[in-house]
Amino acid sequence: MFDLGPVHTFVAVAKVKHFGKAAEMLNATQPGVSQHIAKLERQLGIKLISRTKRSVELTPAGEVFLDHAHRLLPMLQRMEDDSRRVAAGLLGKVSLGFSSSIIYSDVPQQITAFRDETPGVELLYQVHGGDELKSLLDWGQVDAIVTTLPMTSKEYWS
């Protein structure tokens, strides 16, 4: 997999046009920054930065790479954040099967509270007769069922 550390380093160098200042920004050493840039250029097989004792400039390939990096890095951060939110149950979709009898219970208020607390979770609803709900769950058409009807099997409580 592509190592993103050197990409972050490249963006910092491109921003300040100085290896030492980039190292300060990144809480790194100047040799570490140089190694990251060299590693990135080796991986790509192209020169991204023209460096003299007095200046640091991006090559045309470096300009294109920087443009893509500015779009890629935020997308990767969103990917990481969203994945963590899904794993924590704070983002995604949940499909629920209801029997119409739940209208007369406290379930609607609990659903409203859940929506308020977890706006990143989309709740999808299906209302069916109690005898249909078990089949919907068995066939994976809903993630969970909510009913006031008694269940004859305890297999759904585990």
Side-chain angles (χ1 to χ4, degrees):
M1 179 148 191
F2 199 78
D3 183 4
L4 294 176
V7 177
H8 285 285
T9 302
F10 170 78
V11 170
V13 170
K15 181 177 182 178
V16 296
K17 305 271 199 232
H18 193 276
F19 279 63
K21 289 178 184 173
E24 287 176 25
M25 275 178 48
L26 298 168
N27 293 321
T29 64
Q30 188 275 330
V33 168
S34 295
Q35 289 171 3
H36 264 186
I37 298 302
K39 178 181 180 181
L40 183 59
E41 289 177 334
R42 273 193 315 276
Q43 282 179 327
L44 297 171
I46 56 174
K47 191 102 172 123
L48 297 172
I49 295 176
S50 291
R51 180 179 176 189
T52 67
K53 290 186 181 201
R54 294 188 183 157
S55 71
V56 172
E57 295 297 327
L58 297 181
T59 66
E63 293 284 351
V64 170
F65 192 84
L66 179 63
D67 182 51
H68 288 291
H70 280 302
R71 285 180 275 151
L72 172 70
L73 294 174
M75 183 174 59
L76 290 171
Q77 186 62 54
R78 279 192 312 276
M79 180 176 72
E80 180 181 335
D81 293 345
D82 287 352
S83 297
R84 290 183 193 284
R85 289 178 62 210
V86 167
L90 301 173
L91 183 67
K93 292 182 182 182
V94 177
S95 178
L96 301 172
F98 293 113
S99 64
S100 58
S101 60
I102 65 107
I103 293 170
Y104 305 107
S105 71
D106 66 343
V107 171
Q109 292 84 9
Q110 291 175 1
I111 290 171
T112 300
F114 177 82
R115 283 183 133 167
D116 291 344
E117 292 171 17
T118 53
V121 176
E122 180 182 359
L123 294 177
L124 308 170
Y125 310 102
Q126 296 183 38
V127 179
H128 294 277
D131 55 335
E132 296 174 67
L133 290 174
K134 183 178 179 300
S135 295
L136 291 171
L137 187 62
D138 287 343
W139 289 98
Q141 294 174 329
V142 294
D143 298 312
I145 58 175
V146 182
T147 181
T148 58
L149 300 173
M151 295 293 287
T152 58
S153 172
K154 296 195 185 248
E155 68 184 275
Y156 292 101
W157 296 105
S158 56

